[in-house]
Every structure is written in structure tokens, then in C-alpha cells.
Amino acid sequence: MEYNFIEIEKKWQNNWKDTNAYQVSNDSSKPPFYVLDMFPYPSGAGLHVGHPLGYIASDIYSRFKRLKGFNVLHPMGFDSFGLPAEQYAIETGQHPATTTQKNIATFKDQLDKIGFCYDWSREIRTSEPDYYRWTQWIFLQLFKSWFNPQSKKAESIQTLVQQFETLGSENFSAEEWKSFSKNKQQDILMQHRLAFSAFGEVNWCEALGTVLANDEVVNGVSERGGHPVIKKKMRQWYLRITDYADRLLEGLNTVDFSDSMKEMQRNWIGKSEGCEMDFEVANQIGNNDAFKIKVYTTRPDTIFGVDFLVLAPEHDLVNQITTEAQRGSINEYLTYVKSRSDRERMAEVKQITGCFTGAFATNPFNGKQIPIWIAEYVLAGYGTGAIMAVPCGDQRDFLFAQHFNIPITNIIGNHFDGTQANPTKDATLQASDFLNGLLMKDAIKVAIEKIESLGIGKRKVNFKMRDAGFSRQRYWGEPFPIRWEDGMAIATEESQLPLELPHVEKYGPGPEGEGPLANIESWKNEKFETSTMPGYAGSSWYFLRYMDPKNANTFCDKKVSDYWGQVNVYIGGTEHAVGHLLYSRMWTKVLFDLGYIGFDEPFKRLVNQGMIQGSSRFVYRIKGTNEFVSFGLKENYETDELHVDVNFVDGIELDTTAFSNWKPDYANASFILEEGKYLCGVEVEKMSKSKFNTVNPDDLVLKYGADTFRMYEMFLGPIEQSKPWDTKGIEGVHRFLRKLWRLFNDDLKGKVWNDETPTDAELKILHRTIKKIEADTENFSYNTAVSAFMVCVNEMSDLKCHKKSILEQLLVLLMPYAPHISEELWHQLGHTTSILDAAYPVFEASYLVESSKSYPISINGKLRTNIEISLAAEQPEVEQIVLNNEIVQKWLEGNAPKKIIFVKGKMVNVVV
RNA sequence: GCCCAUGUGGCGGAAUUGGUAGACGCAGCAGACUCAAAAUCUGCCAUUCGCAAGGGUGUGAAGGUUCGAUUCCUUUCGUGGGCACCA
């Protein structure tokens, strides 16, 4: 009997489906365990081999935990709102709901072929009204809440209103509050709501009449069409995530994420401690009072080294302080900055730009007049949008001063050499009045105290993180349950949810950069908000909905979320390190504060899978011709490098016939060959349809079976690591499964397994394998686990071991990795119940005990020989044996050894 | 630019805490079986010197710590990912 994977896999997939083998109950005596995948955005391109990597890993883990006796929740769904569907709609006129539906069907079909153990009865889609009803509901809770800095948690906005009514605030008394117009009261409350509306800058493209993502802006022009893009202020919605900055930082100590992931989040939050300080500047326009420029600095100790101030070009005071003489060049510079994307402003710091305003500020400590500049390296969004520049202590300031010939003050003596800044805090201050003689790191505190006592500034903690922009001028997203009346945002009644996304005729932008919803008359008449929520809205809480997906009364019953608790293991790519993971952590904290769930961190453990990269192939077309030259000869011509579909290339050799048939353009292409072959160029890039380097899992499943495919993906390398895809190696894993099959069946003789009693050697191999597989599976070290399976099957084959008592335990170990073949062989051994719930083999150390070891013997750290020595032997005995060894004596050349290092059970090193 | 990751044979990778570098697999080479092919099996496979025994070199590069470094430290180069409206 042969290994007919097509039949076997179909048979058991149907069986598992018919018996609801993967359905999970919220009511079980087993301990709960929640394994979650980051759900996919169902793109039109379908799955490529990179997508299932994380899904296979989580599937293996879920099955493993189930064997270990847990009630495992392992759901899947679709993040189905998003920009690509909308752009496709603009191009083709098809409704996003239609294309999304179709794409999801394709995805599910592809996923099912791989044999995942998802409980599809819990599937969710973020674009379904039943789902986004609760996204809108949670948004309303955010809208109706504020962050109380005293209790450090979210509370109903009503508690704030009460506070204002009884105590007033810093800025107004209780009486004043009551006298405010309703409009003014709402404006004030808006400044405290967790979901709030305010003005913010967006990338605006006049020609396209739309707002663009940073991604869609390349070199200051739109990616589509190459039209100019500028910054424009528009009313936007935001989430006040900055209020949660400290709790988001503290929470990292309670979760099991990789250190690098935590580091990335910490850097994103970017907590820094310093102070704000005012610098006075003369008014250039009238004879009004002098302006005060507030700067933020983490280094107030360097106050006597300030040589100039730099404002962000967007700073409010730029216009008012600029002198007439400088106005022309300032305006010129502002125009230049407007055309620059944020990315460019950050990246191209080698190119130093800036412009002098003509104004001078006064250093409050020594009265020195210091010039005020504007420069794009100062960002309006961080701190106060103004900095004090200390060239001797900050490299960027130093380069700026050097470039514009601004004299540099040295406050650290010979710690500053005049060729580069010294950013350490270890130097002793000089020429710094009351700070003289202090170490810089100690002076920071002293300086802040002085600044506060003089009333010119105060201690301030700053975060790099900004409040999260939460509105998009798009169609395919959740509508805000908000109406605008008299400039006030009015929440929709919760009983009216969902506020369904209306159909539109065209998906183009509305007037004045508003979203497509602004084109719908009825929507405008109802005064509904015309922007929609961003992609991360639905994904910020979906893990809760899986627990209780059908509940029509609430987003997730508290009793149910108490049973499942946090996600035990969350698997997904690092590309979500800062976005999605921070937002979902914030939403969880808010829902916790408001009492809707019982935990304030959503994910207990996070595993990041690396990206499977595509290995692209290139052909070289001689400019202006239809002639293609092989890679090695391309230097002789002027060529264009073009992607070619990897499926036409064997290794690096191009199948020229397949290539010619690919596109009509290439039908009569000619080729310049080297040694009779056309060789392609190779580059590792992101796997993407547009680069023609995608490989479809369906083809591989068809050719080798799902079990082979699953194990091969895991065998490629460590799950966290990025690695290029190479289809060739899959043969090896397929051979392994066939070899396993032959332990049970012979192609000619049929059944070969038997009921004989296992030998010690066989038990030793089995238990070594149990130990290794169990540990590797728990650690997500799946590539080494697959290798251990191979070693085990190779050794069992060598021993001609066909014994049921050994093989059936091996099958259980293998089930999480290759469920179909395991289930089939399990039944062939006579079992009548599914292997999905078999008992996991128990490792017994007694089978592995050894009495001696072949010790590696090094001379001066270099391996020279091996000697078999009893494991019980101690140093004196071992020294004796080693020194009597012929090879060791040869290397000693008659000398006595200086030292003999003996590590019991490991090695011996003789130092000569 | 900033942040994170990473660099080991022709290729993917292994080496649980500093202790035999290259497990396992792919590709390649040689052989067995076969009329032939497929499948399967056996052997070789970092590099260099050598008939061999055996030796030299070798984990991106350069230094350092150590009896001993792929592993720890310093410097440096390359590659991949993220950087707030892609998801």
C-alpha cells in the first residue's frame, strides 16, 4: 500500500468536519488555553507561502496543548475593512463588500486545504455589522470616558462634569463652568475625552482631492499620478493613548514578549524626563509685550552652552518673530518644508537645512542674546516644537552650528575637542555660573530646581508617542456613531447601533478632502461624521469577540471572558510591533478600567514569526529592443532589469519558451545565451505579486500534501527568523513522511507493523525523541523538532523496528505537525477513536542513562582525540587516563602539562 | 537618520547555560538495483597541504577577555524589517 496523501487528507478533513472535531465549548472541566493568530487582511492576491507560516506554528501549538489536556480556543477571522479593497473599488467600480466576500472565500478555501484546527463556528469579520456594531459601541465608551490622572484610570466623563460643577479646574471656577455656554462646555470636555476630535495635519493631494497615507507619498508627490502633496490641517478624531503611556510601559513588565519587541514599544512610547523653559523674544510687529518661546529640553544642565534656538517650521510664533529683512528667505524655506514628507525630514539629516528668523531670544540666566532659527529637523509634534541648541553637547546641534557658522560656546573644557559634540553626561561643567564644578548628570536636578524657583519653567515628562489618529477620509471602514450639531459632537444612542455603512455610488473623495460619505445626501442631512475609523479599530478588540462571537447583547459576556482570560499565546509578524499591539493593549486597559473585562493586558505571551521572503529573478532587456541578455553578459549592454515570474525559472536558468508565452510583448523575444543557457539575476525581496516571486501553497499541497507542506514550512528555519523561500527542499520532508509510512506498510507486502516487544535500543531512541519533541514544541523550535523526527525515523528504519508500541507513541508526537498521516496510521494500528485526543507520551529518563562517554580531549583548546571514560570518573582518575594516552603524550613532547581542565560529562583540556 | 533584528559550507539551517563547529535536509558526485526510468538503498561532500597517517585555516571584518569564544566585550561593515492614513 502506498502513501496516498491526497485521499488520506481528504478523508480525514471530511471526518473532522463531520464530527465537529475542532468545535470548542465555553463550558469545560479542562483548563482553558487560548492560542491566537493575527487575523489576515483578505487581499485579492490570495495566500502565498509566507502567510501560513505563523498559522502552522500556532496550529501545532494548539494541537499540542489539546493533547496535553487543555480546552484550546483557536479561532480565525478576517480583518476585512481596509484601503486596498477601496482602491480596487475605485478602479473597477465593484463594491468592497463584494470583493471582500470573494477574497475571504478564497482565503478560507486555501486555509482549509492545509488542515488547520480552527473552530470556524467562531469566525468573525470586522466589516460585518454584527461585529462593527461593537466596535462602534466601544468607541462610544471611549468617547464618553476620560482618564482621571488621580486614579490613573478611565472613568465616565460624568465624573469630570461633577468635578467641574463642584470644584472647577485650574483654569476656571465651578461658577464659571456653570455660566459657560453648552458649546464651550462641550469644547472643554472634548479636551479630556479618550476619543476626541481636534485639528491635525494630513498629507493633502490637491490633484487627487484626497488625503494620503505616508506610504502613498514618495519624494513629496503622490505615488499614484505623481501630483504634489502638502500638509493640510483638518478636523480629525484621535485616541488619547498618551494618557495611558505610563501604564503601557508598566504593563510590559507583566507580559512575555521578546526583549526586542518590548524595546520597540518602549522606544515608540519614548518617555523622557526634562523640563520646559521660557525664552523671551522681542516683538517685531507691534509694541506689545515680548513673546515667550517655550522650549523642551532633557538637558537643562547645559543652559549656559545654548548658542541658538531652533523652532519647528510649523511653530505658531514663526510668523510673528521673523524680521522684515528675513521674511523673504523664511517664506522660501517654509515652502520648501511643506513639500517634504515626514520620512524625508527624518532621514536626510546629512543635508543640513535651516533659516535664520532675524530674531533673538534672551537666555534667562545670563542675558545673552541668542539667534532664533527654524529648521526641519525640529518636529512640531514633539515636545513644544522648539529646542535650545547646545552645539558642544549635541551632535545635531553641532553640525548645524558648523554649517551656518554659528559660534560655539564650550562649557565642558577639554571634554569638548571642537571637532564633534560630546553628548555624554559625565563631564564637569565650567563657565556655567551656579552649576560650575558639577558633573552634568548631577547638574540636571539642580538646574531644574533653579528654573522652577525662578518661575521660568517646570519639570516635564514627555513622550515621543502622539495621540493616535483615529479617522480616515475613506469609505471602507466603520462609520463613527457621531453626529455634528452646532459644532458639537453628539453620540448616537447605543440602542441605535450598528450605524450601518451606507452604499455609495462612487468611492472617490468628497468635497474639501472629506471622505466618500460626504457625497451621500441623506448622510449629510443627518449630520453624521463623514470620515470612518482606521484599519486598526476592528483589530483592537477582536480577540475578545472570538470568546463569545454570537452574543447579541454585549461585545463579550464578562463570565465568558473571565473563563478564557488573556490570550495565552499570540502569534504574528513584527510589522505590528508598535501599531496594532499598542492600540489593542490600550483598548483592553480602558475596557478593564470601565469594568467590562477582568484583565488589563490582552496577550500574555507573544511569538513573532519572521517573514518568508521571496527570491526574485530578473531578466535583462537591451534598451529599446526586445532582446534579452543573460546575466553574465549584461555588462556589455545597456539594459533594463525586469522581474520575471519565478515559476519560469529552474534555479537561475530561465525557461525561455515559458517566458515567451508569458506576455504578448515577449512572444518574439530573442535571447543572448551564455553556454547555451539564459541565466537570471537573483535578489531576495518581500514576497509580493508585483515582484512575480510568490509561490502558491495550493500547488504544493496538491503535489506533496498538506502534511509535507506544514512540516516543510516549519523545517525552513527558526520561526522568528526571516528566510527566503526555496521550493526545492520540500522533497526531503516528503521523503521523510514516505519513510515513516514504510515503517507501517510495505508497497508490496502491505501491513508490516507488529506487536513485538521493543528492545532497549528502540526505547532509548523513542524516549530521546519524546524528550526533544516535547521541549522543542513548547519552545516553538519547530525546525529542530522536524529534524528530530527525521533522526528518529532514520534510526527506526535502520533497526527495522515495526513495533506498534513504539510507533503509536511516535504518531502522537507527530500529530500536531502532520495530523492527516498520523490519524490515518493511528487507525491502521487498530484505534477507533481520533488521535486528536490521544494521551501524550510520557518521557522516562531511565531509558537514557549512560555509564560512559567518549570525552573530547583538547590540547591547548584544540581537539586532538576522543577517549571513552566512565561518567563516574573524577578528575585524578581522568588525568591518569588522559596522560597515559599515546596521542596526548605525542603533543606533550615529554613536558609536564601546566594544567588539566576537566568538566565532568563535557570535555578535557590539557594546557601545555 | 532613528529603532529592532540578523550575518556559520554551493543553499536552508544545527550547536539548551562559554566546552567535539557544520546535526537534519536540499543540491552535487560516485555506486547498487533496473532493459530503461521512477522509487529505494549505500558511500562521499567547509577549505587547503598530503598517496596516507596527519597537519594548517575557518562562524561578515578588526581587536579584546578566557585553559577554551559561533556564544561575552569594544569598534566596524553588509543585509532585512519598522518609523504613526498599508494592514
Side-chain angles (χ1 to χ4, degrees):
Chain A
M1 199 167 37
E2 279 182 22
Y3 170 38
N4 185 338
F5 53 84
I6 294 180
E7 232 161 74
I8 291 168
E9 290 178 0
K10 196 162 37 163
K11 172 176 156 192
W12 290 110
Q13 282 179 12
N14 287 336
N15 176 283
W16 292 325
K17 200 171 174 186
D18 295 343
T19 56
N20 290 325
Y22 299 134
Q23 224 166 74
V24 186
S25 166
N26 284 347
D27 183 24
S28 165
S29 57
K30 294 179 186 173
F33 201 90
Y34 189 174
V35 181
L36 181 65
D37 286 305
M38 289 185 186
F39 63 167
Y41 174 80
S43 82
L47 289 179
H48 59 63
V49 291
H51 293 106
L53 186 75
Y55 306 153
I56 296 170
S58 67
D59 195 69
I60 290 170
Y61 200 73
S62 304
R63 290 168 180 275
F64 173 69
K65 281 290 166 184
R66 178 169 173 172
L67 287 174
K68 288 285 208 170
F70 290 88
N71 185 33
V72 180
L73 176 57
H74 186 46
M76 181 47 97
F78 297 94
D79 189 12
S80 44
F81 271 136
L83 191 55
E86 183 162 344
Q87 265 163 0
Y88 193 68
I90 292 170
E91 286 163 27
T92 67
Q94 292 190 67
H95 195 277
T98 315
T99 51
T100 301
Q101 191 91 16
K102 217 183 320 172
N103 294 347
I104 288 177
T106 311
F107 263 66
K108 274 182 84 166
D109 191 47
Q110 288 188 293
L111 289 173
D112 279 339
K113 283 184 187 145
I114 303 171
F116 293 126
C117 62
Y118 294 126
D119 178 356
W120 282 117
S121 72
R122 291 172 184 260
E123 179 192 338
I124 56 174
R125 302 176 182 189
T126 56
S127 61
E128 291 291 327
D130 280 352
Y131 181 86
Y132 69 67
R133 166 184 185 179
W134 299 109
T135 309
Q136 291 172 329
W137 182 85
I138 296 173
F139 170 82
L140 286 181
Q141 309 315 306
L142 290 160
F143 178 70
K144 293 174 186 171
S145 304
W146 70 298
F147 187 86
N148 184 339
Q150 251 80 52
S151 62
K152 294 190 178 166
K153 54 186 266 201
E155 292 176 9
S156 164
I157 196 85
Q158 288 311 319
T159 65
L160 182 64
V161 173
Q162 270 166 23
Q163 220 177 80
F164 287 163
E165 281 173 352
T166 52
L167 305 166
S169 80
E170 269 184 25
N171 304 317
F172 49 80
S173 68
E175 289 314 307
E176 282 172 313
W177 167 261
K178 286 174 197 160
S179 71
F180 289 156
S181 69
K182 190 156 186 232
N183 231 310
K184 175 145 194 196
Q185 287 183 342
Q186 285 301 319
D187 273 352
I188 292 168
L189 290 180
M190 191 61 102
Q191 290 163 29
H192 293 87
R193 294 178 188 275
L194 286 178
F196 67 99
S197 174
F199 282 89
E201 283 194 333
V202 293
N203 297 314
W204 168 252
C205 179
E206 186 74 48
L208 295 172
T210 186
V211 175
L212 296 175
N214 277 349
D215 234 36
E216 301 172 291
V217 184
V218 179
N219 299 326
V221 298
S222 66
E223 196 179 25
R224 275 183 294 144
H227 307 293
V229 175
I230 59 160
K231 299 270 168 23
K232 183 179 174 178
K233 282 210 165 180
M234 286 185 67
R235 184 170 272 288
Q236 301 287 332
W237 285 91
Y238 294 90
L239 299 185
R240 208 176 295 281
I241 193 170
T242 47
D243 279 353
Y244 276 90
D246 270 318
R247 278 177 60 189
L248 288 168
L249 276 176
E250 286 159 17
L252 287 176
N253 300 325
T254 70
V255 294
D256 181 11
F257 295 5
S258 68
D259 288 342
S260 63
M261 185 64 46
K262 290 183 179 182
E263 193 60 21
M264 265 190 258
Q265 293 211 359
R266 286 194 190 105
N267 286 327
W268 180 268
I269 295 168
K271 183 173 183 170
S272 71
E273 293 177 40
C275 72
E276 283 181 355
M277 186 176 10
D278 293 331
F279 282 75
E280 288 197 354
V281 54
N283 192 326
Q284 298 292 321
I285 297 175
N287 295 321
N288 305 330
D289 290 344
F291 290 111
K292 279 182 179 156
I293 292 179
K294 203 180 275 300
V295 303
Y296 174 76
T297 179
T298 57
R299 298 294 304 276
D301 53 309
T302 60
I303 180 68
F304 291 93
V306 177
D307 289 315
F308 52 100
L309 297 189
V310 189
L311 308 190
E314 299 86 352
H315 196 282
D316 288 340
L317 290 178
V318 171
N319 183 42
Q320 295 160 66
I321 62 173
T322 299
T323 59
E324 282 317 310
Q326 287 300 105
R327 195 162 293 276
S329 32
I330 285 284
N331 285 341
E332 207 172 289
Y333 187 68
L334 289 177
T335 310
Y336 157 77
V337 171
K338 266 204 159 174
S339 73
R340 302 263 291 165
S341 70
D342 282 359
R343 190 73 52 83
E344 290 166 328
R345 282 175 63 172
M346 282 184 282
E348 294 165 22
V349 296
K350 279 189 181 135
Q351 177 194 341
I352 298 163
T353 71
C355 187
F356 180 45
T357 60
F360 289 84
T362 311
N363 184 328
F365 284 93
N366 59 11
K368 187 177 159 187
Q369 290 300 105
I370 48 183
I372 305 173
W373 289 66
I374 63 172
E376 57 179 341
Y377 80 89
V378 177
L379 301 175
Y382 181 64
T384 60
I387 62 160
M388 57 181 228
V390 183
C392 74
D394 183 287
Q395 188 62 13
R396 230 167 10 173
D397 296 346
F398 177 80
L399 292 173
F400 194 88
Q402 222 175 27
H403 188 260
F404 289 109
N405 287 317
I406 302 169
I408 295 172
T409 308
N410 180 12
I411 51 168
I412 46 176
N414 52 18
H415 290 283
F416 173 64
D417 62 9
T419 63
Q420 58 177 357
N422 176 357
T424 66
K425 296 176 191 167
D426 301 325
T428 307
L429 286 160
Q430 307 176 7
S432 293
D433 192 28
F434 67 97
L435 297 172
N436 278 340
L438 287 172
L439 276 182
M440 294 173 109
K441 56 185 164 204
D442 302 327
I444 292 176
K445 206 173 140 230
V446 179
I448 293 179
E449 276 162 14
K450 185 89 171 184
I451 289 163
E452 287 189 324
S453 70
L454 292 174
I456 52 172
K458 60 176 191 224
R459 183 183 304 274
K460 180 83 198 262
V461 173
N462 249 329
F463 296 98
K464 222 182 272 165
M465 181 168 67
R466 311 198 286 269
D467 283 328
F470 196 67
S471 49
R472 304 288 183 263
Q473 282 62 49
R474 311 279 185 191
Y475 170 69
W476 192 231
E478 299 87 347
F480 283 88
I482 292 286
R483 286 183 305 119
W484 287 97
E485 278 180 22
D486 295 335
M488 289 183 291
I490 312 292
T492 304
E493 284 296 318
E494 290 176 13
S495 60
Q496 301 296 305
L497 299 179
L499 174 61
E500 289 206 30
L501 184 63
H503 270 261
V504 292
E505 292 306 319
K506 58 188 192 63
Y507 307 95
E512 300 296 314
E514 282 190 84
L517 292 180
N519 294 326
I520 301 178
E521 203 148 318
S522 58
W523 193 264
K524 283 298 268 189
N525 289 341
E526 294 275 343
K527 298 176 178 162
F528 280 124
E529 168 68 49
T530 58
S531 55
T532 55
M533 297 186 201
Y536 65 81
S539 61
S540 290
W541 71 282
Y542 73 113
F543 48 92
L544 295 168
R545 189 62 179 174
Y546 281 135
M547 298 175 181
D548 199 6
K550 303 273 186 327
N551 197 324
N553 301 316
T554 176
F555 68 100
C556 176
D557 192 297
K558 176 103 186 326
K559 277 204 270 323
V560 176
S561 61
D562 282 348
Y563 169 70
W564 288 110
Q566 290 167 283
V567 173
N568 293 84
V569 179
Y570 192 28
I571 299 180
T574 39
E575 66 270 25
H576 298 288
V578 284
H580 160 63
L581 280 166
L582 277 174
Y583 303 133
S584 47
R585 291 181 61 218
M586 179 203 170
W587 284 43
T588 302
K589 286 177 191 304
V590 175
L591 291 171
F592 171 77
D593 289 351
L594 299 176
Y596 293 113
I597 54 175
F599 42 90
D600 91 328
E601 280 290 339
F603 314 117
K604 206 182 270 177
R605 179 177 177 191
L606 177 71
V607 174
N608 288 115
Q609 96 257 14
M611 189 172 291
I612 290 195
Q613 292 149 332
S615 185
S616 303
R617 296 292 182 278
F618 296 93
V619 292
Y620 303 90
R621 185 174 61 196
I622 298 171
K623 273 194 196 299
T625 72
N626 205 11
E627 189 167 27
F628 293 82
V629 57
S630 184
F631 179 79
L633 305 171
K634 73 181 167 77
E635 300 311 326
N636 304 331
Y637 305 87
E638 232 182 88
T639 57
D640 291 317
E641 185 182 65
L642 304 171
H643 277 96
V644 58
D645 195 316
V646 285
N647 296 299
F648 303 152
V649 185
D650 179 19
I652 58 167
E653 188 185 345
L654 180 70
D655 178 343
T656 50
T657 320
F659 178 73
S660 299
N661 294 334
W662 184 27
K663 291 180 181 174
D665 289 3
Y666 303 149
N668 47 20
S670 58
F671 303 92
I672 301 175
L673 308 177
E674 50 185 316
E675 292 169 14
K677 295 170 180 174
Y678 188 97
L679 304 181
C680 298
V682 177
E683 207 172 302
V684 171
E685 307 178 285
K686 215 171 183 162
M687 196 173 270
S688 140
K689 203 125 206 177
S690 63
K691 298 185 167 79
F692 300 106
N693 59 5
T694 58
V695 179
N696 189 326
D698 297 3
D699 301 342
L700 297 170
V701 169
L702 199 64
K703 193 163 175 200
Y704 300 100
D707 286 335
T708 298
F709 178 70
R710 292 165 61 103
M711 289 194 88
Y712 181 55
E713 287 239 342
M714 294 302 100
F715 189 52
L716 278 178
I719 194 78
E720 294 96 341
Q721 202 171 299
S722 291
K723 54 245 160 185
W725 178 263
D726 177 17
T727 301
K728 278 197 163 167
I730 198 168
E731 295 274 358
V733 176
H734 193 58
R735 267 174 220 152
F736 153 74
L737 286 178
R738 282 211 306 261
K739 196 165 184 176
L740 171 82
W741 181 266
R742 287 199 303 273
L743 290 175
F744 296 76
N745 294 295
D746 186 279
D747 286 0
L748 301 171
K749 286 183 274 180
K751 168 193 167 230
V752 291
W753 61 269
N754 58 49
D755 288 311
E756 287 169 25
T757 312
T759 64
D760 284 352
E762 290 160 354
L763 284 167
K764 186 170 167 184
I765 296 168
L766 175 69
H767 282 268
R768 206 180 54 209
T769 308
I770 294 173
K771 187 182 179 196
K772 175 89 176 140
I773 298 297
E774 191 171 355
D776 282 356
T777 306
E778 189 60 62
N779 294 325
F780 287 89
S781 179
Y782 295 149
N783 58 327
T784 52
V786 174
S787 147
F789 279 123
M790 289 174 168
V791 171
C792 178
V793 167
N794 286 344
E795 289 177 343
M796 291 297 178
S797 298
D798 289 346
L799 293 175
K800 301 199 168 31
C801 170
H802 303 289
K803 295 164 185 169
K804 177 178 172 180
S805 62
I806 297 279
L807 296 180
E808 67 182 359
Q809 298 201 56
L810 183 58
L811 286 181
V812 180
L813 294 178
L814 185 68
M815 187 282 281
Y817 294 81
H820 310 86
I821 193 175
S822 305
E823 184 81 289
E824 171 66 22
L825 292 172
W826 179 255
H827 280 77
Q828 285 185 19
L829 289 181
H831 292 277
T832 51
T833 55
S834 172
I835 195 173
L836 298 178
D837 291 306
Y840 202 80
V842 178
F843 166 66
E844 298 210 23
S846 58
Y847 291 114
L848 301 191
V849 174
E850 302 265 2
S851 62
S852 70
K853 174 187 167 64
S854 172
Y855 274 93
I857 313 297
S858 305
I859 315 285
N860 287 338
K862 280 214 160 126
L863 179 73
R864 295 302 175 187
T865 185
N866 286 286
I867 308 176
E868 191 77 21
I869 304 175
S870 160
L871 274 169
E874 297 294 337
Q875 174 120 11
E877 192 188 339
V878 171
E879 283 190 19
Q880 198 64 44
I881 297 169
V882 169
L883 290 177
N884 283 334
N885 182 277
E886 211 179 306
I887 296 167
V888 174
Q889 285 184 352
K890 188 187 104 189
W891 284 96
L892 282 173
E893 292 171 333
N895 300 314
K898 255 194 209 147
K899 201 168 164 191
I900 296 179
I901 290 156
F902 170 61
V903 183
K904 199 171 177 183
K906 289 268 192 214
M907 46 64 72
V908 181
N909 188 20
V910 181
V911 186
V912 183

